[in-house]
């Protein structure tokens, strides 16, 4: 078997939103990737990344493309997944302040509040202590959600250190599923993706 056949492939949900930023991070880490738009694109994936964007639009497109059920099934069967921002919303079991017709994948045992930071601070940057990463992680929040409550098996990886949202939960891990309210992919920092690929997906990334 040649190397290209045996290499693990990571999917990037490519219905809408910041797909290319995640592809760049995966390129930098030397990980093969594929855009996921239709059910057949899920075949054989080692992991899936759900990007930021607009969760209600992605939810609609997931249903329109027939992805909702196959993707929920794949996640239930253990497909490792990492969601940033809107991706976190899509993965959650419960979402507050979303549209009534929005659907979630229910792979992350947490209640997530959409657009949680309010108007004054709807976009901001800060440095976060992140469990499993040595030095602070620069974090860009863009009309971001936060995690309001977590289920028993969920680890909290980062919280907002100061300001009006001090203590808000912004990074979590539930088994093979990880989610951040912010976008490490826009800061050119590959450490959160590397952590996910190593710890949640068991991939040997540099
Ligand atoms: N506010 C967006 C939503 O509700 C998420 C924003 C983002 O992904 N940067 O889906």
């Amino acid at each position: 078997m040649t190397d290209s056949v045996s290499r693990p492939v990571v999917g990037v949900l490519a219905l809408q939103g910041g797909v290319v930023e995640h592809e760049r991070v995966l390129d930098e880490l030397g990980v093969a990737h594929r855009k996921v738009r239709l059910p057949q694109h899920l075949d054989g994936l080692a992991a899936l990344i759900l990007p930021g964007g607009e969760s209600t639009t992605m939810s609609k497109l997931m249903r329109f493309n027939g992805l909702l059920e196959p993707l929920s099934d794949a996640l239930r069967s253990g497909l490792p997944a990492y969601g940033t921002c809107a991706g976190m919303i899509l993965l959650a079991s419960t979402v507050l302040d979303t549209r009534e017709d929005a659907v979630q994948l229910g792979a992350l045992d947490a209640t997530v509040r959409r657009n949680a930071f309010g108007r004054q601070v709807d976009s901001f940057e800060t440095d976060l202590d992140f469990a499993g990463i040595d030095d602070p992680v620069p974090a860009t929040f863009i009309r971001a959600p936060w995690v309001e409550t977590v289920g028993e098996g969920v680890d909290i990886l980062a919280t907002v250190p100061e300001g009006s949202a001090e203590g808000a939960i912004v990074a979590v891990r539930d088994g093979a599923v990880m989610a951040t309210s912010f976008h490490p992919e826009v800061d050119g920092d590959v450490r959160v993706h590397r952590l996910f690929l190593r710890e949640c997906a068991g991939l040997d990334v540099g």
Side-chain angles (χ1 to χ4, degrees):
M1 223 193 299
T2 66
D3 188 37
S4 63
V5 173
S6 59
R7 252 176 109 193
V9 176
V10 171
V12 181
L13 186 68
L15 298 170
Q16 185 265 343
V19 174
V20 68
E21 291 83 353
H22 286 286
E23 291 175 329
R24 271 193 216 120
V25 173
L26 293 171
D27 283 339
E28 199 172 325
L29 291 169
V31 175
H33 50 84
R34 176 202 302 159
K35 288 185 173 66
V36 172
R37 294 200 171 102
L38 295 168
Q40 58 266 36
H41 301 153
L42 294 168
D43 288 351
L45 289 183
L48 178 70
I49 293 178
L50 297 89
E54 177 47 55
S55 58
T56 55
T57 305
M58 284 196 238
S59 150
K60 254 187 230 158
L61 293 171
M62 253 185 343
R63 276 193 298 199
F64 188 74
N65 286 14
L67 250 183
L68 182 63
E69 285 224 346
L71 181 49
S72 306
D73 289 349
L75 292 165
R76 215 169 306 125
S77 309
L79 176 69
Y82 171 36
T84 61
C85 203
M88 168 191 265
I89 296 170
L90 290 179
L91 287 169
S93 49
T94 307
V95 177
L96 307 175
D97 291 344
T98 192
R99 284 174 57 117
E100 242 171 59
D101 59 355
V103 288
Q104 280 81 234
L105 294 160
L108 167 66
D109 184 9
T111 298
V112 169
R113 186 176 294 278
R114 188 166 159 257
N115 299 335
F117 290 90
R119 283 202 90 70
Q120 303 90 315
V121 286
D122 72 11
S123 295
F124 67 102
E125 289 169 32
T126 188
D127 284 335
L128 296 174
D129 288 332
F130 199 107
I133 296 178
D134 283 344
D135 296 317
V137 171
T140 299
F141 294 82
I142 307 166
R143 291 186 58 75
W146 67 39
V147 177
E148 209 140 301
T149 59
V150 294
E152 241 175 60
V154 179
D155 295 322
I156 294 169
L157 304 178
T159 56
V160 174
E162 58 190 13
S164 55
E166 183 177 339
I169 302 168
V170 291
V172 289
R173 176 178 176 185
D174 183 359
V177 173
M178 213 169 101
T180 58
S181 304
F182 57 96
H183 297 271
E185 71 281 6
V186 307
D187 287 302
D189 190 313
V190 302
R191 292 174 297 164
V192 176
H193 288 70
R194 186 192 283 132
L195 182 79
F196 163 69
L197 293 168
R198 281 186 182 164
E199 302 291 323
C200 298
L203 298 183
D204 184 20
V205 289

